[in-house]
Amino acid sequence: IAEVCMYLEKIHQTDISEWEHNSNYEIWVDQMEKFPYELRFLRAYFYFELFKTYGDVPLVTTTLTNAQANNVVRTPAADIVKFIVDEIDEIAPHLPISYATENNAEFGRANRVAAYALKARTLLYAASPLHNPGNDKAKWDAAAQASKFIIDNAKEWGLTLSKYADLWGENAFFNAELIFGIGRGASNTFEMAHYPIGVENGSSGTCPSQSLVDQYEYQDNGQTFAQRYPGSIDLNTVNPYEGLDPRFALTVVKNGDEWPSNGSQKKVIETFAGGFNASPKYGATPTGYYLRKYVDGAAVTTADNQVTRKHTWIIFRLAEFYLNYAEAVFNATGSANDATYGMSANDAINVLRTRADIAMPKFTEDGAAWVERYERERLVEFAFENHRFWDVRRWKKGDKYFKTVQVANISSNLQLTRSTVTRQWDEKYNLYPISQTENKKNPALGQNPGW
């Protein structure tokens, strides 16, 4: 933020006229005209990250001396939200919808669509219980309209919903659903971190829990895994994963899957006790599952003949705004079937549920049953995309979702049972604490509740 402020204050001092005969001069001039708007987008994005993490934070839009920086006070979260929204409204018209047709065609830069996506997400967070304890319907209305604006303009902007499997992998950076993402050059570091123990150079990484698996629904009737199999499961006689939401198989590696997909390392994964990829091997999955989503199975991690792949980490994608809209319009109208805004909450969710590669039963619920199923849908759709950690906090439902975690234990004779891991939860965890180091520098910052 300090660097953005410094740039914005000094850009008018820049003179590149002496290079006017350079073949790239027009490109440079064009870029310098856009840089301030791109940087203001980034500053607004950074402020959103601070807002969702800490709530009230100092709002600084100029460069500061050390003495000034060590005496700033925190600005109320509502004013941070207003700053973000006002900035987006001002800068978005100056940003291109796409850079593909600009003088120096590039992908991945902050564009108008990313700006409106930031506005919509910010307004959803601002309307949520953590920041809207009085349940002000006007905040939900603003969030609904901001997400609907993206949905209504998606086609014109060149956005389309993609196959779920195409959201990551070698070509994901150019996926037409991606609004804003972080593209990275070819590597296999992520695969080394997340391939199962037993796969050469695999380190297990982040392992999906049984709690996550339990939330996936079956395609025939919408029943969840936990509802259909609440007790122990004999994997010799039944395949409980058959007929699950296709997003499960694209997200989770389970016992018996062939993984990774590259020919030189492909093998049948064994997560039962004593199995090739299981305990007692050091570092093996503690949950009974391994991660598939974001992991490129075509990457080869052997000592010799390694294969690297490009990766793209999603920040905004079109599907988010269908679910953001659904949540906002439900809370604004009090019904999942109210089409006052031109599309009901259930209609918006069902656009995602009826994608050709997903084909899940439609939402018809309302009321409390809708809320429970919506929160499950959001977990499944955005698994490992950095939403759940923050969603549960803005909903103030950590006590419901974060106090216990179910893990799968698969015995050597393939009996699957669940065990519970208990974790601490306190309402103060909804916001991060202001660090002691920063408070020593500047006691005026104060502290968040409970810390």
Side-chain angles (χ1 to χ4, degrees):
I1 290 173
E3 289 174 349
V4 170
C5 292
M6 183 182 297
Y7 184 98
L8 294 175
E9 289 174 2
K10 293 185 175 183
I11 181 61
H12 69 280
Q13 301 172 12
T14 303
D15 180 8
I16 63 170
S17 58
E18 62 184 278
W19 289 288
E20 63 180 327
H21 299 297
N22 189 290
S23 60
N24 290 322
Y25 181 72
E26 287 189 10
I27 293 175
W28 295 343
V29 170
D30 185 56
Q31 286 181 327
M32 292 188 70
E33 289 176 351
K34 292 184 175 65
F35 281 162
Y37 302 110
E38 292 182 73
L39 287 167
R40 288 172 68 182
F41 163 83
L42 290 173
R43 183 173 62 181
Y45 178 79
F46 299 150
Y47 264 111
F48 166 75
E49 290 292 309
L50 290 171
F51 153 67
K52 79 174 184 183
T53 306
Y54 298 101
D56 301 347
V57 293
L59 179 57
V60 178
T61 58
T62 61
T63 54
L64 303 176
T65 65
N66 286 345
Q68 290 172 323
N70 290 336
N71 284 281
V72 294
V73 298
R74 290 200 280 169
T75 302
D79 292 337
I80 300 293
V81 170
K82 184 177 186 302
F83 166 77
I84 295 170
V85 171
D86 288 348
E87 278 285 274
I88 296 304
D89 285 343
E90 186 173 337
I91 68 175
H94 298 281
L95 291 169
I97 293 172
S98 169
Y99 284 85
T101 56
E102 296 297 302
N103 280 333
N104 188 25
E106 294 179 299
F107 290 88
R109 303 191 72 89
N111 59 23
R112 191 181 310 172
V113 189
Y116 285 129
L118 174 60
K119 174 182 175 179
R121 186 187 287 180
T122 300
L123 288 171
L124 180 76
Y125 274 64
S128 301
L130 181 61
H131 301 289
N132 185 18
N135 197 29
D136 182 352
K137 300 293 185 183
K139 293 184 176 182
W140 288 113
D141 171 77
Q145 295 203 48
S147 286
K148 188 63 161 50
F149 182 73
I150 294 172
I151 294 169
D152 288 345
N153 287 280
K155 184 176 181 180
E156 179 183 343
W157 292 339
L159 293 173
T160 57
L161 293 169
S162 85
K163 291 183 178 179
Y164 199 73
D166 293 340
L167 292 171
W168 61 96
E170 183 78 2
N171 299 311
F173 196 66
F174 304 101
N175 188 309
E177 183 172 330
L178 185 70
I179 294 174
F180 199 56
I182 301 172
R184 288 291 180 259
S187 83
N188 57 12
T189 304
F190 190 74
E191 285 67 37
M192 286 187 179
H194 288 87
Y195 274 173
I197 287 293
V199 174
E200 187 170 352
N201 287 320
S203 302
S204 289
T206 301
C207 296
S209 67
Q210 184 64 47
S211 294
L212 170 65
V213 175
D214 280 344
Q215 301 308 305
Y216 284 92
E217 298 178 359
Y218 288 92
Q219 289 180 294
D220 54 2
N221 61 2
Q223 190 178 34
T224 67
F225 186 100
Q227 289 168 342
R228 187 168 293 188
Y229 297 102
S232 61
I233 307 170
D234 184 352
L235 298 180
N236 294 294
T237 60
V238 64
N239 179 4
Y241 309 102
E242 186 177 1
L244 273 180
D245 185 325
R247 290 172 290 189
F248 166 77
L250 294 169
T251 303
V252 179
V253 176
K254 67 179 186 335
N255 182 70
D257 282 352
E258 289 190 338
W259 183 251
S261 57
N262 70 75
S264 62
Q265 291 183 289
K266 182 186 291 187
K267 70 179 298 295
V268 176
I269 298 299
E270 300 175 351
T271 60
F272 55 82
F276 191 72
N277 312 99
S279 177
K281 284 190 175 179
Y282 179 77
T285 173
T287 66
Y289 301 98
Y290 287 105
L291 180 65
R292 187 186 301 262
K293 188 171 180 179
Y294 271 139
V295 182
D296 194 325
V300 178
T301 60
T302 53
D304 299 319
N305 301 315
Q306 293 192 7
V307 174
T308 58
R309 304 280 285 176
K310 295 176 183 177
H311 296 75
T312 302
W313 314 112
I314 299 165
I315 296 179
F316 299 118
R317 64 180 173 98
L318 180 57
E320 175 186 345
F321 300 96
Y322 280 93
L323 291 185
N324 288 3
Y325 171 81
E327 181 178 343
V329 77
F330 172 83
N331 284 282
T333 65
S335 171
N337 295 305
D338 189 311
T340 300
Y341 290 82
M343 177 171 58
S344 72
N346 280 338
D347 288 340
I349 294 174
N350 290 334
V351 170
L352 304 184
R353 301 271 296 184
T354 56
R355 285 171 292 181
D357 61 324
I358 303 302
M360 290 295 293
K362 291 183 177 181
F363 268 47
T364 58
E365 291 85 354
D366 213 333
W370 183 89
V371 173
E372 181 176 349
R373 197 175 184 197
Y374 166 79
E375 291 173 0
R376 183 164 68 239
E377 179 69 12
R378 197 171 172 92
L379 168 63
V380 166
E381 177 68 27
F382 299 134
F384 303 101
E385 292 183 38
N386 196 32
H387 284 275
R388 185 68 169 183
F389 183 90
W390 303 106
D391 282 343
V392 172
R393 283 166 167 75
R394 67 180 177 84
W395 294 330
K396 298 189 70 174
K397 292 188 175 181
D399 193 62
K400 175 180 179 180
Y401 288 120
F402 284 167
K403 289 187 74 171
T404 61
V405 178
Q406 297 282 312
V407 300
N409 302 301
I410 306 176
S411 67
S412 57
N413 62 347
L414 299 184
Q415 304 300 306
L416 187 154
T417 58
R418 295 172 176 84
S419 61
T420 301
V421 178
T422 302
R423 301 187 298 189
Q424 183 180 356
W425 175 261
D426 191 295
E427 286 304 298
K428 69 181 183 181
Y429 298 159
N430 286 319
L431 294 172
Y432 275 38
I434 306 300
S435 75
Q436 186 175 1
T437 301
E438 292 302 318
N439 257 314
K440 283 186 175 181
K441 294 176 186 175
N442 179 10
L445 288 174
Q447 189 53 274
N448 274 332
W451 292 99

